[in-house]
Amino acid sequence: LVLDYDDLMTIPIWSEYLRQNSGDMTRARANEDFILGVLPKLPGQFYYLFARPIETKGKEEMLMDKDNAKELYLQIKFEVESSLAYLLKKREEDPYRNIIDRTIYRAFYAPAHDVPTFSP
C-alpha cells in the first residue's frame, strides 16, 4: 500500500498519530515530514498538452520595448495557466486515472499499444 501525506491525513487513526508525533519526526526538507516505512506515492498518468506556438520571429525590435515584452509575457502566462487548468480539470474527470482501473481496462478491453485516457 503506497500513500502520501495527504492520503494518510484522511485516515482518522493515522491523522491522529501524525498530529501527536509530528514533533518527533525527521524532517527531510523544511515543512515536510518523513515517515519511515511509507513509500512515496507512485504517479498516475502524465498529462500533456501541446498548445499552439506563439510567434516571436520578426518581432525582436518590438520586444525591446518593455510594454510590448510585458504584453507578450502576460499572453504566454495566460496560455500556460489555461492549459494547466484544462489538464487539471481533465485529470479529475479521467476515469482511467487510477492505475488499477487503467490496468483492468487494458487487460480486458484495449490492445497492448493503446493507453486509455480522457477524451479532449
Side-chain angles (χ1 to χ4, degrees):
L1 185 61
V2 180
L3 303 169
D4 66 6
Y5 181 80
D6 294 330
D7 292 335
L8 290 173
M9 292 306 287
T10 61
I11 302 170
I13 295 170
W14 268 105
S15 64
E16 184 65 29
Y17 173 78
L18 292 173
R19 283 191 191 97
Q20 289 176 355
N21 298 312
S22 64
D24 299 333
M25 290 184 182
T26 304
R27 301 279 179 198
R29 294 184 194 115
N31 299 327
E32 187 175 296
D33 294 329
F34 177 71
I35 304 166
L36 293 176
V38 178
L39 300 173
K41 191 174 187 177
L42 296 174
Q45 292 192 168
F46 292 103
Y47 297 85
Y48 298 96
L49 179 66
F50 296 96
R52 64 178 175 81
I54 298 172
E55 289 293 327
T56 57
K57 188 174 185 179
K59 297 182 181 180
E60 291 84 6
E61 291 293 323
M62 187 179 86
L63 293 176
M64 296 305 244
D65 178 39
K66 282 190 174 189
D67 291 333
N68 289 336
K70 186 173 183 173
E71 183 179 326
L72 179 64
Y73 169 79
L74 292 174
Q75 177 190 359
I76 293 169
K77 182 180 176 184
F78 174 78
E79 292 288 333
V80 169
E81 288 175 346
S82 298
S83 296
L84 287 174
Y86 172 78
L87 288 174
L88 289 171
K89 178 180 174 270
K90 286 299 190 176
R91 181 180 72 174
E92 292 300 318
E93 298 171 354
D94 188 0
Y96 307 109
R97 180 179 179 196
N98 182 312
I99 193 166
I100 295 169
D101 296 336
R102 194 168 57 250
T103 304
I104 291 171
Y105 176 83
R106 286 188 70 186
F108 293 107
Y109 303 111
H113 66 277
D114 185 24
V115 178
T117 188
F118 68 89
S119 298

